[in-house]
Amino acid sequence: MTDHYPQDTLATRADDGTLTLEVTDRWNTPLGKPNGGWVLAAMLRAAMDTTDVGRPAVAAITYFASPEPGTTATLTVTPVKLGRRVQTVDVDLGCDGRPLARMTASFARDHHGPSQELGAAPALPDPATLPDPRELGMPTDGLFGRIEYRMAEVPGWATGEPTGDPTTTLWQRLDGGTAIDWPAVALLTDASPPPVMELGQMKSMTVQLTVHFHRLPEQGGWVASRFSTRHVAEGFHEEDGELWDDQGRLLAQSRQLAILL
């Protein structure tokens, strides 16, 4: 596969100062729309590239509508509070006057302090020992051609026999081991099939996503990922996620609200 990251998340500044983003189909989900994680990654990168902030601490995005592949979206970056330790920025994404998403992100300059980990990474076999789903017939267009997955077990929904347990553990990385930066961490919190599919013929689309950032993985490494849903209510469901590096260190946490389709 050709490496399209991070180029596909880079905004371009016009002579009048306008920031634009080319919406590609290379990150499409099976629903035919760009992946929400890719949208968040592009907006986070725009904030980092255009304002003097440190590394992201938290980003919260609300999706209003999906951008259409082949269009050019506009990004507006608005500093909210640039403090000594925490800097907060708003980013709006739109197309032809139509709002598509809004992100509020806070960044940290001085992030040296005590650390204590009370959780544990999912227990997964060495990714080198697991099959590549793309060699077993998984589609390679869109998002699935940009992300590599390794799973210890074939998901029940993939064989027509959902397990009833909406929990997924898997390895992820950018295709070919491309370096994972902060926007890519955001992307990977929303780049795998939703575990709610284990409840039956359920498809969903993200309404709101919040990501807490902790650290970056070593370059080229795999990311151990755990996602779960525990509540489905009136057509909506939550999804909690954790990303860990291959040394058992927490990279990021996420929670999203999604609507069933």
Side-chain angles (χ1 to χ4, degrees), residues 184-228:
V185 170
L187 188 159
L188 291 178
T189 66
D190 190 40
S192 60
V196 74
M197 294 172 67
E198 291 293 358
L199 296 181
Q201 297 301 315
M202 292 188 177
K203 297 179 180 179
S204 70
M205 183 174 292
T206 307
V207 175
Q208 197 277 345
L209 171 63
T210 298
V211 181
H212 294 179
F213 300 87
H214 296 278
R215 57 177 58 84
L216 292 174
E218 293 183 4
Q219 301 310 311
W222 287 89
V223 174
S225 309
R226 178 192 291 121
F227 299 102
S228 63

Side-chain angles (χ1 to χ4, degrees), residues 9 27 34 42-43 48 52 57 59 75 82 115 119 132 137 147 157 159 178 196 204 211 228 237 249:
T9 60
W27 300 88
M43 295 175 75
M48 297 176 71
D52 182 18
L75 290 154
L82 302 181
S115 297
D132 183 345
I147 307 293
W157 58 262
T159 62
T178 297
V196 74
S204 70
V211 181
S228 63
H237 72 90
R249 295 173 298 188

Side-chain angles (χ1 to χ4, degrees), residues 1-243:
M1 289 286 177
T2 301
D3 178 16
H4 291 284
Y5 185 88
Q7 289 80 6
D8 283 347
T9 60
L10 290 172
T12 300
R13 185 178 293 277
D15 292 339
D16 63 0
T18 302
L19 283 175
T20 59
L21 176 70
E22 299 302 320
V23 181
T24 172
D25 62 359
R26 286 191 286 269
W27 300 88
N28 275 11
T29 72
L31 298 177
K33 301 291 185 179
N35 168 254
W38 171 80
V39 174
L40 175 56
M43 295 175 75
L44 188 66
R45 186 177 301 283
M48 297 176 71
D49 286 350
T50 59
T51 55
D52 182 18
V53 294
R55 65 92 160 170
V58 60
I61 183 171
T62 299
Y63 300 93
F64 308 132
S66 295
E68 294 292 336
T71 61
T72 300
T74 301
L75 290 154
T76 303
V77 179
T78 306
V80 177
K81 175 67 182 297
L82 302 181
R84 182 176 64 86
R85 296 188 63 183
V86 178
Q87 300 78 47
T88 301
V89 177
D90 283 344
V91 180
D92 288 283
L93 180 72
C95 187
D96 295 329
R98 181 189 185 200
L100 299 175
R102 171 170 290 178
M103 180 197 77
T104 298
S106 291
F107 301 81
R109 295 186 192 279
D110 179 10
H111 51 88
H112 303 291
S115 297
Q116 184 175 5
E117 182 55 66
L118 304 179
L124 289 166
D126 185 334
T129 68
L130 300 176
D132 183 345
R134 295 186 295 195
E135 297 177 356
L136 302 177
M138 189 181 80
T140 58
D141 56 342
L143 177 68
F144 296 148
R146 312 273 80 81
I147 307 293
E148 290 189 63
Y149 307 97
R150 297 292 187 272
M151 300 180 181
E153 298 179 355
V154 177
W157 58 262
T159 62
E161 298 180 354
T163 64
D165 178 12
T167 301
T168 300
T169 58
L170 73 160
W171 292 105
Q172 300 184 89
R173 70 177 184 178
L174 295 178
D175 189 59
T178 297
I180 295 174
D181 56 8
W182 291 114
V185 170
L187 188 159
L188 291 178
T189 66
D190 190 40
S192 60
V196 74
M197 294 172 67
E198 291 293 358
L199 296 181
Q201 297 301 315
M202 292 188 177
K203 297 179 180 179
S204 70
M205 183 174 292
T206 307
V207 175
Q208 197 277 345
L209 171 63
T210 298
V211 181
H212 294 179
F213 300 87
H214 296 278
R215 57 177 58 84
L216 292 174
E218 293 183 4
Q219 301 310 311
W222 287 89
V223 174
S225 309
R226 178 192 291 121
F227 299 102
S228 63
T229 289
R230 288 295 174 261
H231 309 283
V232 180
E234 298 184 349
F236 290 86
H237 72 90
E238 107 293 354
E239 180 182 306
D240 288 318
E242 296 176 352
L243 303 181

